[in-house]
Amino acid sequence: MNGHGWLYSQLFTNWKPFEMTYVTVLVLLQVGVYALAPDSAVGMVSGIAGVLCLVYGMKGRRISFLFGLVQCLAMTYIAWISHAFGSFAMDIVYVISQPIGFFMWGRQAATHSFQPGTRNKIFAGAFIAWGIGWFVLARVGGQLPYFDSINFVISFIAQILYVLKYNENWSLWIFVNIANLVYWSILSIQTVTGDNTIGSLGANLSQVALQGALLFNAVYAQKVWSSGEADNEGGAK
């Protein structure tokens, strides 16, 4: 398949009406947030690229990592100006992981799962790592370190599992997205009330909208990957 054929297949083939509707709604949500608080074009770019990255990831398509690279570069800047140091550290890792993921998904199409015992050990290890990250981030003055630590450690584990195409990555992402939705909502409220002058309202709100979108996508993606549908939708070939 030539470059144009591959790109067309990755972007436009095998979309269900429900998927087309919800990705449109999620992208328009990002544009709406920017219209509400137009002080961060970078935030809007991060939000739209993040939505497209995870939606194409849900479908098991390698182009997910190209959108992911754009989103991670934009999010790195937002995390830095917001003093979200855990997010900043992880976004650097995400930038590095995008070409690795693109390569890995080109070598294997199938998704797979751990045995129950191994899965439980991974989840327990992620919980312990969260506590350690919380302690470290609190020592360096990060904002809301108990939430930011989830970005710092659990996101790292989830990203590794995502690159390796393990279904369990989505369970961790659901937890991460819930925590991030609360985290950025708190920062947005603090910005509105004047209790926080770090970052910008537009950037914070864009991340609230993004995390809500990613949470919805992660729940749906867990269903798609568990059923094996992602393997047959023009993904990693």
Side-chain angles (χ1 to χ4, degrees):
M1 183 181 296
N2 60 34
H4 288 95
W6 177 86
L7 186 63
Y8 180 86
S9 174
Q10 290 280 302
L11 288 173
F12 301 118
T13 60
N14 298 325
W15 284 90
K16 298 176 181 178
F18 169 73
E19 294 169 349
M20 294 175 63
T21 300
Y22 97 71
V23 69
T24 301
V25 170
L26 296 185
V27 170
L28 289 177
L29 179 62
Q30 293 296 320
V31 176
V33 168
Y34 180 72
L36 179 65
D39 61 351
S40 179
V42 175
M44 183 182 67
V45 170
S46 172
I48 292 176
V51 166
L52 295 177
C53 169
L54 270 297
V55 168
Y56 281 107
M58 171 273 295
K59 295 183 75 64
R61 301 188 179 183
R62 293 174 72 196
I63 200 168
S64 162
F65 293 101
L66 301 184
F67 290 114
L69 182 61
V70 175
Q71 190 268 336
C72 293
L73 289 171
M75 185 57 198
T76 299
Y77 170 76
I78 293 172
W80 178 257
I81 66 173
S82 301
H83 289 199
F85 297 131
S87 295
F88 176 77
M90 273 312 304
D91 284 315
I92 293 176
V93 174
Y94 291 153
V95 169
I96 297 171
S97 72
Q98 301 309 305
I100 296 173
F102 189 86
F103 173 77
M104 292 292 293
W105 281 28
R107 295 175 62 87
Q108 63 176 21
T111 60
H112 35 274
S113 299
F114 290 109
Q115 294 296 321
T118 303
R119 182 186 306 120
N120 292 338
K121 290 177 182 177
I122 290 173
F123 290 164
F127 181 79
I128 294 171
W130 167 61
I132 296 173
W134 178 355
F135 174 78
V136 172
L137 290 170
R139 300 281 291 182
V140 300
Q143 293 199 80
L144 307 177
Y146 37 90
F147 284 121
D148 203 19
S149 175
I150 294 174
N151 280 319
F152 190 49
V153 290
I154 297 183
S155 294
F156 178 75
I157 298 170
Q159 183 69 4
I160 292 175
L161 298 183
Y162 177 69
V163 167
L164 297 177
K165 274 200 165 183
Y166 278 98
N167 296 334
E168 287 77 9
N169 87 88
W170 295 113
S171 296
L172 293 179
W173 283 125
I174 289 171
F175 181 68
V176 169
N177 295 147
I178 291 173
N180 278 337
L181 185 60
V182 176
Y183 176 84
W184 289 105
S185 295
I186 291 174
L187 291 185
S188 297
I189 293 171
Q190 290 178 343
T191 303
V192 171
T193 59
D195 295 327
N196 181 15
T197 58
I198 300 172
S200 70
L201 179 60
N204 291 343
L205 286 177
S206 72
Q207 294 309 306
V208 172
L210 174 60
Q211 296 306 321
L214 298 188
L215 174 59
F216 179 88
N217 183 74
V219 172
Y220 182 68
Q222 187 172 52
K223 171 184 176 296
V224 171
W225 280 39
S226 297
S227 67
E229 293 178 40
D231 302 343
N232 304 310
E233 297 197 22
K237 300 292 185 184

